[in-house]
Amino acid sequence: MKKETVFQRYEFKYLLTRGQQARLLSAAGARLRPDEYSHSSIRNLYLDTPDFRLIRRSLEKPVYKEKLRLRAYGTPTDSSPVFLEIKKKYDGVVYKRRVSTDFAQAMRFLTEGIPPESGDYVARQVTAEMTHMIRRDGLIPRAAVFYDRRAFHCADDPELRLTLDGNIRYRLGDLDLRNGTDGDTIPGQPFRIMEIKSASSIPLWLAGTLSELGIHPGSFSKYGSVYKQRFQDLCTT
């Protein structure tokens, strides 16, 4: 699990069928290597305004958008390491700023405004940015979203990552990430959402493989799909 606090990259998204996933992994062969945490159950707690202004703005596909979430890998306990993350996207480039802390401190921060302890200057600056965002927009926990992930990195370029996410489910009532991942499923979700994450362009061999297999860029927002399924009509009436 990477520990960087601040980084930027391009993210390219594709929606795969079961057959496309199998053919892609077969064609890639040894060029893709499983990450250290190659099979993970991802748990996300998304923050938003009471009227879902952040996700509504994001679904309009603006040039600039941002979101704030808490992410855990596996079922957390109070002492488990988690990430508080601001994810911004401007003109196709993703900028992520995150703080690693334990689950108990993260929840105190999100519910009581008490910053997590850190001796790192950059982490404190990122926490201050999150505090400003929460106060400016009145952000509160709104949805817990879970999915299963397979993650790989490129053998020739460890900074290039490929993730495969599926089996998306969510909860809107019980938002405690310690309480398992049972929840409602999103109807019509693709078999896998693939993201290629790179500091530059996609390598030629991978671009060629995608073209040969008829895999083209697609769009799918996990939290956005939750909003559209459960709240869109309520917020527009």
Side-chain angles (χ1 to χ4, degrees), residues 25-188:
L25 294 179
S26 177
R31 288 191 176 99
L32 290 179
R33 296 180 179 174
D35 276 357
E36 181 181 359
Y37 298 90
S38 58
H39 289 73
S40 301
S41 178
I42 310 294
R43 291 148 168 83
N44 293 300
L45 178 63
Y46 285 93
L47 280 79
D48 209 330
T49 65
D51 63 351
F52 299 95
R53 186 165 66 250
L54 292 189
I55 190 58
R56 287 191 288 110
R57 184 184 303 153
S58 176
L59 290 171
E60 293 170 355
K61 300 187 182 301
V63 173
Y64 172 81
K65 58 184 179 181
E66 60 186 355
K67 59 185 173 184
L68 177 61
R69 69 189 178 198
L70 167 64
R71 169 166 288 185
Y73 294 82
T75 301
T77 64
D78 283 349
S79 60
S80 295
V82 297
F83 290 109
L84 291 161
E85 300 181 340
I86 296 177
K87 190 173 183 181
K88 303 181 179 184
K89 188 172 184 179
Y90 177 72
D91 199 21
V93 181
V94 172
Y95 303 86
K96 183 182 286 188
R97 298 166 65 78
R98 67 184 183 183
V99 174
S100 178
T101 184
D102 62 55
F103 180 78
Q105 289 192 78
M107 290 308 300
R108 281 198 296 271
F109 174 58
L110 297 181
T111 58
E112 303 175 32
I114 302 173
E117 298 176 2
S118 177
D120 182 78
Y121 172 78
V122 175
R124 293 198 302 272
Q125 289 297 107
V126 174
T127 301
E129 183 179 352
M130 293 177 181
T131 300
H132 171 73
M133 186 177 175
I134 291 171
R135 292 175 177 173
R136 180 195 67 197
D137 295 328
L139 301 183
I140 56 175
R142 297 301 273 142
V145 180
F146 318 104
Y147 47 91
D148 302 325
R149 166 170 288 183
R150 296 180 66 186
F152 304 84
H153 64 267
C154 181
D156 298 329
D157 180 6
E159 295 304 313
L160 186 147
R161 298 184 68 242
L162 184 150
T163 58
L164 296 163
D165 298 337
N167 187 26
I168 307 163
R169 57 264 190 215
Y170 66 92
R171 291 199 303 262
L172 300 173
D174 177 9
L175 301 182
D176 193 331
L177 299 186
R178 296 170 296 183
N179 293 339
T181 63
D182 289 339
D184 296 327
T185 58
I186 296 174

